[in-house]
């Protein structure tokens, strides 16, 4: 934020008092605004007095009454007003300079003015020299008004547009957020488009299930590979590749479906390959750009992009299909990836060290609160797999995703069969968990970062947040067998998913804590376990429902949540264990 400060000379005494005006021949301003130690008033008066004002005979500045010098500006951090006053006594060769106590340090670009008393005590008439930065040494010639008015030199600092002042690290976060939004938009559109596609191509339920599962073939394949790739060559290249790859696969999906089923299965697997590298690459790039004090909220914002992507995909896919037929979903959603990629190429860098436009202040903030950025040449697999906190991540990710995938995959069926909602109502209610998770993920992120900034250890913060992410869903799922109305059942489901979202500030943030240089590989390892939990959990739920009830499904999820809580609190840590 730029500082606007004006220092001017005003006469407030009786108009019958006479005064003498002496022309200022030369004023030199030379000292960067960033070096100002007090306020803009002190800056101007110190420099105008120091050997650069010529031809003064007698000038009297009486603070508070006659010929008061004052400064007014804005604090660049708090926005509060800055005020200061100065008094200068000058008589012949006896020089005396006095400043009142200005303790507010001012940074940035200042707007300053210097003026002298006029004979007629008229209001000041400023002469502005525009586009002059006080950070550079410049000699300025003031002008004197023809009617004997005061002369004034104004140094006006150029200000940048707000979008250029926006922190670069949060530009990276927002770009990752939008990538994950596109990720889930392109993923969930098939769950809607599969209905008209199955009618057109005469697919049975087994074929539909095969098509839906083919995505995970590629998705599982690139979790660890994507992490290795990101840690070695940088997150920018890997995430950019992933978005372009899955966007092309999305656009080609209708063509593949019309050619034949085998081509469609391959194309869905190709799409999984692209989306499989996204999470490891994002984790790698944020481990370099985000200091630990902002880690939870940044990751929460990025992951909330996935949730909102599901909401947008589920909301707009039926509209597009109804108006333009089912291929329009894949063409429109897939084409958005090219727009994102253009911004990514121009704005993103794998680390702050690589960004030539990053300010020195922000670079110091990032590197001071982050980790060393040496490139990874090899992955120490034996060391990684020998650490208990790594296995705590893997086991906890499995336990977490078992319950999460069950809730998100089987909820429409639960709403329809148990709560007796129709399919339209079930579809609308499917959006509610995603919205709830998007909101509570960001709330949890801010809470976690606030605790860290107040001195709570990272280990304790991660354990607290993940315990909420485990025990919250476990509690609300146990209440489903006791509720009497559909409204209460929906509320329990929403609360379950909302508390589940606190995991973004728990295990999902922990990869960067324990091994920031290997954050991509660590996420690839744990997310592989998480994807397997989703695949096995979804299949196991169908088997349980054939031989049991929904209560049995929820009991299995609750048991795994409790196991995850115990493992996490016993073996996890927020300290760096991998160098």
């Amino acid at each position: 934020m730029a500082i606007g400060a004006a220092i001017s000379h005003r006469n407030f005494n009786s108009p019958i008092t006479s005064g003498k005006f002496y022309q200022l021949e030369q004023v030199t301003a030379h000292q960067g605004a960033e070096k100002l130690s007090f306020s803009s008033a002190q800056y101007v008066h110190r420099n105008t007095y120091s050997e650069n004002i010529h031809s003064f005979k007698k000038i009297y500045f009486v603070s508070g009454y006659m010929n008061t010098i004052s400064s007014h500006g804005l604090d660049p951090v708090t926005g509060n007003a800055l005020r200061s006053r100065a008094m200068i006594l000058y008589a012949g060769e006896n020089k005396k300079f006095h400043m009142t106590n200005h303790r507010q340090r001012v940074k940035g670009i200042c707007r300053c003015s210097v003026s002298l008393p006029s004979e007629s005590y008229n209001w000041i008439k400023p002469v502005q020299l525009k586009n002059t930065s006080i950070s550079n040494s410049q000699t300025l010639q003031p002008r004197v008004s023809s009617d004997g008015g005061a002369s004034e030199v104004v140094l006006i600092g150029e200000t940048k547009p707000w979008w250029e002042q926006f922190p670069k690290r949060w530009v990276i976060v927002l770009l990752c957020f939008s990538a994950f939004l596109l990720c889930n938009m392109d993923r969930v559109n098939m769950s809607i488009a599969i209905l008209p596609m199955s009618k057109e191509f005469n697919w049975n339920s087994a074929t539909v299930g095969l098509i839906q599962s083919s995505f995970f073939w590629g998705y599982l394949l690139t979790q660890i590979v994507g992490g290795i790739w990101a840690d070695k060559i940088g997150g920018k290249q890997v995430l950019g590749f992933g978005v372009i790859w899955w966007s092309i696969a999305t656009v080609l999906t209708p063509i593949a479906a019309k050619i034949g089923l085998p081509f469609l299965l391959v194309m869905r697997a190709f799409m999984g390959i692209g989306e499989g590298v996204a999470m490891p690459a994002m984790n790698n790039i944020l481990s370099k750009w985000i200091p630990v004090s902002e880690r939870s909220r940044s990751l929460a914002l990025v992951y909330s992009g996935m949730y909102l992507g599901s909401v947008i995909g589920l909301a707009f896919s039926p509209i597009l299909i109804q108006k333009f037929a089912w291929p329009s979903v894949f063409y429109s959603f897939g084409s958005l990836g090219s727009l994102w990629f253009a911004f990514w190429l121009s704005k993103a860098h794998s680390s702050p060290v690589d960004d030539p436009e990053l300010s020195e202040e922000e670079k110091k903030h990032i590197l001071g609160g982050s980790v060393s950025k040496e490139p990874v040449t090899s992955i120490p697999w034996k060391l990684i797999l020998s650490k208990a906190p790594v296995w705590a991540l893997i086991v906890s990710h499995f336990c977490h995703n078992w319950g999460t995938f069950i809730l998100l995959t089987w909820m429409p069926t639960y709403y329809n069969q148990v709560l007796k909602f129709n399919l339209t109502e079930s579809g609308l209610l499917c959006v509610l968990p995603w919205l709830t998770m998007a909101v509570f993920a960001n709330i949890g992120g801010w809470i976690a970062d606030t605790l860290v900034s107040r001195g709570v250890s990272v280990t304790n913060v991660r354990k607290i947040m993940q315990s909420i992410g485990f025990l919250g869903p476990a509690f609300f799922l146990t209440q489903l067998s006791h509720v009497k109305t559909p409204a209460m059942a929906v509320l329990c489901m929403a609360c379950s998913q909302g508390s589940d979202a606190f995991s973004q500030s728990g295990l999902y943030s922990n990869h960067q804590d324990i091994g920031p240089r290997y954050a991509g590989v660590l996420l690839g390892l744990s997310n592989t376990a998480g994807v397997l939990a989703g695949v096995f959990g979804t299949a196991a739920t169908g088997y349980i429902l054939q031989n049991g009830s929904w209560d049995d499904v929820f009991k299995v999820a609750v048991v795994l949540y409790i196991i995850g809580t115990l493992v996490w609190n016993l073996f996890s840590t927020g300290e760096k264990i991998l160098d």
Side-chain angles (χ1 to χ4, degrees), residues 82-296:
L82 299 176
R83 299 180 183 277
S84 59
R85 292 184 180 276
M87 179 176 69
I88 298 179
L89 297 178
Y90 184 103
E93 298 301 322
N94 297 321
K95 301 179 181 180
K96 182 177 181 182
F97 177 78
H98 172 69
M99 283 298 301
T100 54
N101 188 21
H102 301 286
R103 293 296 181 233
Q104 180 75 41
R105 179 174 178 84
V106 177
K107 295 181 179 179
I109 301 175
C110 294
R111 174 180 297 176
C112 307
S113 63
V114 182
S115 61
L116 297 173
S118 65
E119 291 185 332
S120 59
Y121 291 93
N122 291 330
W123 290 101
I124 219 162
K125 297 180 179 180
V127 176
Q128 295 190 357
L129 304 180
K130 296 184 178 181
N131 300 324
T132 302
S133 172
I134 65 174
S135 61
N136 300 320
S137 299
Q138 300 188 37
T139 300
L140 306 175
Q141 289 289 347
R143 304 173 186 174
V144 183
S145 60
S146 60
D147 59 352
S151 67
E152 184 171 273
V153 176
V154 180
L155 308 180
I156 302 176
E158 296 181 358
T159 58
K160 294 182 178 180
W162 66 267
W163 58 86
E164 293 184 13
Q165 301 179 44
F166 192 75
K168 190 61 181 290
R169 64 190 183 278
W170 286 98
V171 172
I172 300 295
V173 171
L174 290 176
L175 284 170
C176 290
F177 164 87
S178 57
F180 275 52
L181 184 126
L182 294 177
C183 176
N184 266 32
M185 284 177 62
D186 291 342
R187 185 189 301 187
V188 304
N189 59 10
M190 178 59 81
S191 63
I192 304 296
I194 197 72
L195 299 175
M197 291 173 71
S198 60
K199 291 181 179 179
E200 180 176 336
F201 298 108
N202 296 316
W203 293 332
N204 56 32
S205 298
T207 303
V208 170
L210 183 64
I211 294 170
Q212 295 280 43
S213 65
S214 61
F215 169 85
F216 292 100
W217 304 346
Y219 192 72
L220 275 171
L221 185 65
T222 53
Q223 290 294 315
I224 298 176
V225 173
I228 297 172
W229 192 15
D231 289 342
K232 286 189 174 183
I233 70 172
K236 176 183 178 178
Q237 292 84 346
V238 179
L239 185 55
F241 159 81
V243 174
I244 286 297
W245 184 278
W246 86 59
S247 297
I248 293 174
T250 301
V251 171
L252 294 178
T253 296
I255 300 174
K258 292 178 180 179
I259 294 176
L261 180 61
F263 292 93
L264 177 60
L265 296 176
V266 171
M267 196 57 62
R268 293 296 293 175
F270 276 6
M271 183 179 174
I273 288 174
E275 295 203 0
V277 304
M279 289 180 67
M282 176 277 299
N283 217 36
N284 171 276
I285 196 169
L286 291 193
S287 72
K288 293 177 170 59
W289 273 94
I290 304 298
V292 66
S293 60
E294 300 171 354
R295 181 169 295 162
S296 296

Side-chain angles (χ1 to χ4, degrees), residues 414-459:
Y414 176 79
Y415 289 148
N416 180 253
Q417 294 181 356
V418 178
L419 302 183
K420 305 303 181 184
F421 293 150
N422 60 42
L423 292 179
T424 302
E425 292 171 331
S426 298
L428 292 174
L429 290 171
C430 283
V431 174
L432 185 60
W434 296 106
L435 287 174
T436 306
M437 293 176 77
V439 172
F440 279 89
N442 287 283
I443 292 174
W446 282 98
I447 292 173
D449 283 344
T450 301
L451 291 174
V452 171
S453 65
R454 292 185 178 180
V456 181
S457 71
V458 177
T459 298

Side-chain angles (χ1 to χ4, degrees), residues 328-479:
S328 64
V329 174
F330 299 99
Y331 295 145
S332 57
F333 287 8
S335 62
L336 295 175
S338 60
L339 299 177
W340 177 92
F341 188 66
F343 282 102
W344 183 251
L345 283 182
S346 62
K347 298 296 183 182
H349 294 272
S350 291
S351 76
V353 178
D354 302 330
D355 192 343
E357 298 179 355
L358 186 66
S359 67
E360 287 299 321
E361 183 179 0
E362 185 174 7
K363 185 179 292 185
K364 290 177 182 177
H365 174 72
I366 295 170
L367 299 181
S370 190
V371 295
S372 60
K373 305 300 187 298
E374 296 87 353
V376 172
T377 56
S378 61
I379 308 298
W381 291 108
K382 186 176 180 180
L383 177 64
I384 290 174
L385 296 177
S386 68
K387 301 294 185 180
V390 174
W391 286 103
L393 265 176
I394 294 172
V395 173
S396 298
H397 209 147
F398 182 92
C399 295
H400 170 266
N401 275 27
W402 182 286
T404 301
F405 271 80
I406 287 174
L407 292 176
L408 296 178
T409 305
W410 285 92
M411 275 313 95
T413 304
Y414 176 79
Y415 289 148
N416 180 253
Q417 294 181 356
V418 178
L419 302 183
K420 305 303 181 184
F421 293 150
N422 60 42
L423 292 179
T424 302
E425 292 171 331
S426 298
L428 292 174
L429 290 171
C430 283
V431 174
L432 185 60
W434 296 106
L435 287 174
T436 306
M437 293 176 77
V439 172
F440 279 89
N442 287 283
I443 292 174
W446 282 98
I447 292 173
D449 283 344
T450 301
L451 291 174
V452 171
S453 65
R454 292 185 178 180
V456 181
S457 71
V458 177
T459 298
N460 288 336
V461 170
R462 299 293 177 245
K463 289 184 177 181
I464 291 170
M465 303 307 288
Q466 190 55 50
S467 294
I468 297 174
F470 277 144
L471 297 180
F475 171 78
F476 288 110
L477 287 181
T478 58
Q479 302 306 304

